[in-house]
Amino acid sequence: MAAPRNTTDDDITTEVLQRFAQTSDTRLRQIMLSLIGHLHAFVKEVELTEAEWFQAIEILTRAGHLSDDKRQEFILFSDTLGVSMVVDLLNHRKPDGATESTVFGPFHRLNAPEMPYGGNIAPLDKQGPPTLVSGRVLDLGGRPIAGALLDVWQAQTSGLYDSQDPSLHQMHMRGKFHTDAEGRYLVRTVRPVHYPIPSDGPVGAMLRATGRHPWRPAHIHFVVSAEGHEPVTTHIFDSADEYLASDAVFAVKGSLICDFTRHEMAEGEARRLGIIPPYYTTHFDFRLKPASGQTTVLDAQQRLAALGVR
Ligand SMILES: [Fe+2]
């Protein structure tokens, strides 16, 4: 008579682990064995009910149905569970002086328009106060990097990205800027606002059920890349924002917080660009470390494109 099999939950775990232990790809084997171990331990620890198991299936199914080329509910889950920032920290241990990275988020789009020095990414936003973001892209020795690419995106004053705004039929508040010979860049925009992440899906339901708010502090997104250097995916944050200490996606780092200074009279670049006061300026220098040889300039964008996110 055959020996009884799988009589306890631990027997099942053991057998599942044994089957995955045959995986020939060593990295995949490591990931699967760890995943099974933690997943089974979690289910046993909370003594998951069948109703809760089915609810989890429904949540994941809903997240899949909501995700398309403009919305990525799974990235929102990763962000709001803090997983995105843990992955970020594990993968971007910068040497002293390099600009810190933060979450990529779900709202990047490929093919943002090319912009000149001082180009305006917010021509349709008539509500937000005009703002100039300037600075340089430098290497770790403080030397300027000419021709560096800054891929910039930002929410409108309404709190919505263009991809969330049905009244828009074009890329808005996105642009690609290149540094000049002295490594300088200049972006014309409006002052960023805090906004809630989309809360009409399962991520929003999770936040409400757990007593969390959906707000992100005001920020502007950047991916900065240059030949021979490791690209950095990051934000700059407004130092005056009330949600800096409770970002829904845990993405704030102190080194990325900037003061936005109010001006009552047009001077310098603002005068040249015809900006009508009052307006704001802020300044941030990006510092890139040398390429490790493993990352490419478009790495993050190519991975998102492979997911169908444009
Ligand atoms: Fe954002």
Side-chain angles (χ1 to χ4, degrees), residues 107 153-155 161 195 216 219 221 235:
F107 294 115
W153 68 106
Q154 181 185 338
Y161 283 89
Y195 66 81
R216 294 219 57 211
H219 61 273
H221 292 263
H235 311 354

Side-chain angles (χ1 to χ4, degrees), residues 28-48:
L28 181 59
R29 182 167 67 240
Q30 178 191 15
I31 288 173
M32 291 310 298
L33 292 179
S34 179
L35 173 66
I36 298 300
H38 286 285
L39 189 58
H40 282 223
F42 156 70
V43 169
K44 294 173 197 174
E45 181 183 317
V46 302
E47 297 193 29
L48 200 70

Side-chain angles (χ1 to χ4, degrees), residues 189-245:
T189 181
V190 291
R191 190 171 182 178
V193 295
H194 49 242
Y195 66 81
I197 59 169
S199 56
D200 58 340
V203 169
M206 176 188 76
L207 295 179
R208 283 188 294 278
T210 54
R212 287 179 54 193
H213 73 67
W215 291 91
R216 294 219 57 211
H219 61 273
I220 304 172
H221 292 263
F222 290 85
V223 176
V224 183
S225 54
E227 197 68 40
H229 295 81
E230 192 166 301
V232 63
T233 298
T234 194
H235 311 354
I236 60 169
F237 293 92
D238 185 336
S239 63
D241 197 276
E242 65 191 274
Y243 293 108
L244 279 176

Side-chain angles (χ1 to χ4, degrees), residues 66-186:
L66 273 176
S67 298
D68 58 19
D69 62 342
K70 289 184 177 168
R71 177 162 179 175
Q72 239 301 339
E73 193 75 2
F74 289 107
I75 292 182
L76 272 187
F77 260 128
S78 173
D79 290 353
T80 52
L81 292 170
V83 173
S84 302
M85 278 308 290
V86 174
V87 172
D88 170 74
L89 288 163
L90 287 172
N91 283 272
H92 300 284
R93 297 190 191 284
K94 303 285 184 189
D96 286 346
T99 296
E100 291 191 286
S101 52
T102 191
V103 295
F104 192 65
F107 294 115
H108 179 264
R109 294 174 74 182
L110 291 174
N111 304 318
E114 295 280 341
M115 294 272 179
Y117 184 84
N120 186 4
I121 65 169
L124 302 179
D125 193 319
K126 307 300 183 194
Q127 293 176 281
T131 296
L132 290 176
V133 184
S134 64
R136 293 180 299 165
V137 179
L138 307 168
D139 67 16
L140 292 186
R143 290 175 290 270
I145 302 175
L149 171 64
L150 299 97
D151 193 349
V152 184
W153 68 106
Q154 181 185 338
Q156 304 168 106
T157 304
S158 65
L160 296 176
Y161 283 89
D162 56 358
S163 54
Q164 300 172 285
D165 186 343
S167 71
L168 279 178
H169 301 286
Q170 64 185 87
M171 292 261 188
H172 187 227
M173 298 194 56
R174 301 172 188 275
K176 286 181 178 169
F177 293 80
H178 292 270
T179 54
D180 67 10
E182 293 166 34
R184 296 179 306 173
Y185 72 91
L186 180 66

